């Protein structure tokens, strides 16, 4: 279950309690779900009960209890808990969702995360000359289109708007580092930040986010080539990770594959892939390509954190688990390639 699917499930629960007369409120179009904050639990959380309580005059916990009753047993949910004054905490049923998520990413390819949430919106942007403004505008248009909006730059013959370059830049960044690296620097920096300097962009090390994202993509492609050389291909399925008596992965399990517990846990790969459609939508809504850059960095870090588990070691024979792990690595590579393509940046096969 993706965050968008979970949001729709919660909206249906709200509509149910409204139809039954338990709540007298307007049914929201969507419900925000996010990672649990400290003190919460499960995979996702929502403050929807607190917002509905303010409109209905009921206690937040009363609203939360009513929603939990409608959500119990919903497909894709293992359990729903209430914490604090009325926060809903959702634990997903991942028995089949993991393989299905990977299968979906691989089937959609670089278009995974595209949707129609912004269909019907028509936006136009005035042409600009300054390189960073042009990069951000072009990426915003690509993001908006990926979510169903009709977006373009200057469709009605609008005059070009000159944007003065930063006088602190002695030369255009693209002349120093190349078009792709310059585009990444312009888009990764938030609106109030300056792009990374040329020396940082050229550094071939993992402290350089531009290098790290592209390197992670090449590792995903290399894993596929190496698996083919060993005589097996990918197949979404059970990752077959060790678990303790309580059914949880032991502490030795790489962070990239551990289930998310709270904000202090390193971001795991599977939830990051599930979050990708919501990340693209939010970036499109806010015209904020830097959010996509941070999403890609997180996926790259998670992929690099577990790549050593994908291929058989020594005399080990390829198993269904290896095929499933390879499929997960390939899905991560697909997300990285798709995100870079929205920026107009090539995803390299070799680096």
């Amino acid at each position: 279950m993706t965050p968008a699917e979970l949001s729709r499930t919660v909206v249906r629960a709200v509509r149910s309690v409204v139809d039954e007369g338990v709540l007298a409120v307007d049914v929201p179009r969507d419900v925000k779900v996010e990672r649990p904050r400290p003190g919460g639990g499960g995979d996702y959380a929502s403050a929807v009960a607190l917002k509905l309580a303010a409109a209905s005059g009921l206690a937040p916990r009363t609203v939360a209890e009513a929603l939990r009753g409608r959500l119990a047993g919903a497909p894709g949910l293992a359990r729903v808990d209430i914490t604090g004054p009325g926060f809903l905490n959702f634990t997903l049923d991942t028995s089949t969702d993991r393989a299905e998520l990977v299968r979906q990413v691989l089937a959609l390819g670089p278009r995974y995360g595209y949707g129609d949430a912004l269909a019907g919106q028509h936006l136009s942007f005035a042409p600009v000359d300054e390189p960073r403004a042009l990069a951000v505008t072009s990426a915003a248009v690509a993001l908006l289109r990926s979510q169903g909006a009709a977006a373009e730059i200057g469709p009605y013959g609008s005059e070009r708007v000159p944007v003065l370059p930063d006088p602190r830049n002695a030369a255009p960044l693209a002349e120093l580092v190349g078009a792709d690296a310059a585009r990444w620097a312009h888009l990764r920096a938030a609106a109030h930040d300056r792009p990374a300097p040329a020396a940082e962009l050229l550094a071939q090390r993992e402290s350089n986010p531009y290098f790290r994202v592209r390197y992670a993509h090449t590792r995903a492609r290399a894993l596929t080539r190496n698996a083919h050389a060993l005589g097996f291909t990918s197949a979404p399925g059970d990752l077959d990770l060790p678990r303790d008596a309580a059914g949880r992965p032991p502490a030795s399990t790489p962070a990239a594959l551990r289930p998310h517990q709270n904000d202090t846990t390193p971001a795991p790969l599977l939830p990051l892939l599930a979050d990708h459609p919501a990340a693209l939508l939010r970036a499109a809504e806010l015209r904020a390509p830097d959010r996509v850059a941070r999403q890609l960095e997180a996926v790259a870090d998670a992929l690099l954190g577990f790549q050593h588990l994908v291929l058989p070691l020594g005399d080990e024979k390829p198993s269904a688990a290896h095929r499933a792990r390879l499929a997960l690595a390939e899905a991560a590579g697909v997300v990285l390639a798709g995100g870079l393509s929205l920026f107009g940046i090539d995803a390299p096969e070799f680096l």
Side-chain angles (χ1 to χ4, degrees):
M1 177 179 286
T2 66
E5 292 169 339
L6 177 56
S7 175
R8 290 193 291 269
T9 298
V10 178
V11 169
R12 287 194 293 269
V14 175
R15 184 175 293 110
S16 175
V17 296
V18 169
D19 290 345
E20 294 173 13
V22 178
L23 285 179
V25 297
D26 293 330
V27 178
R29 179 180 176 184
D30 54 36
V31 168
K32 182 179 181 181
V33 295
E34 57 188 351
R35 292 300 182 190
R37 298 179 181 181
D43 298 296
Y44 294 100
S46 176
V48 61
L50 281 69
K51 295 181 179 180
L52 295 177
S56 66
L58 298 176
R61 198 166 187 93
T62 299
V63 176
E65 290 285 2
L67 292 176
R68 180 168 67 171
R70 304 310 186 282
L71 290 164
L77 286 179
R79 58 183 295 172
V80 181
D81 298 304
I82 300 173
T83 59
F87 291 100
L88 290 170
N89 291 257
F90 308 99
T91 301
L92 304 184
D93 179 3
T94 58
S95 57
T96 58
D97 277 0
R98 289 176 176 174
E100 183 55 37
L101 170 63
V102 173
R103 194 173 291 112
Q104 180 184 14
V105 175
L106 294 176
L108 293 174
R111 292 182 65 84
Y112 170 68
Y114 285 33
D116 58 3
L118 303 183
Q121 295 191 26
H122 187 185
L123 303 102
S124 60
F125 298 86
V128 292
D129 291 311
E130 194 272 327
R132 182 179 181 184
L134 178 58
V136 172
T137 302
S138 299
V141 166
L143 283 165
L144 287 163
R145 289 176 176 174
S146 78
Q147 303 306 309
E152 55 269 311
I153 299 177
Y156 304 118
S158 54
E159 295 184 2
R160 184 169 298 275
V161 178
V163 180
L164 296 178
D166 190 329
R168 292 169 291 185
N169 292 333
L173 191 58
E175 294 181 9
L176 301 174
V177 300
D180 279 2
R183 192 174 292 114
W184 171 269
H186 292 319
L187 298 176
R188 182 183 185 268
H192 56 276
D193 293 331
R194 293 190 64 197
E200 180 179 321
L201 292 166
L202 293 173
Q204 299 292 297
R205 54 175 180 264
E206 291 192 8
S207 61
N208 174 5
Y210 174 61
F211 170 79
R212 200 162 67 247
V213 169
R214 297 168 77 243
Y215 175 65
H217 179 265
T218 66
R219 290 303 306 145
R221 301 301 301 142
L223 289 170
T224 297
R225 292 193 300 271
N226 293 338
H228 289 175
L230 293 173
F232 75 98
T233 58
S234 64
D238 187 0
L239 300 173
D240 193 25
L241 299 173
R243 294 183 177 273
D244 59 22
R248 293 185 176 278
S252 60
T253 300
L257 297 178
R258 287 200 300 264
H260 189 96
Q261 296 298 321
N262 53 53
D263 284 347
T264 64
T265 304
L269 184 51
L270 283 161
L272 281 169
L273 299 187
D275 286 349
H276 189 64
L280 293 187
L281 174 59
R282 191 61 174 158
E285 291 174 331
L286 297 177
R287 323 290 195 264
D290 59 290
R291 286 175 168 259
V292 178
R294 291 195 293 273
Q295 168 78 359
L296 297 182
E297 290 172 30
V299 172
D301 291 342
L303 173 57
L304 294 173
F306 100 103
Q307 58 172 322
H308 65 282
L309 291 179
V310 173
L311 300 178
L313 299 176
D315 296 331
E316 189 178 12
K317 300 296 183 182
S319 66
H322 292 114
R323 288 190 285 274
R325 295 171 195 173
L326 177 61
L328 177 58
E330 290 176 341
V334 163
V335 166
L336 294 173
L340 288 172
S341 70
L342 284 170
F343 283 1
I345 297 175
D346 291 333
E349 187 83 10
F350 303 93
L351 195 61

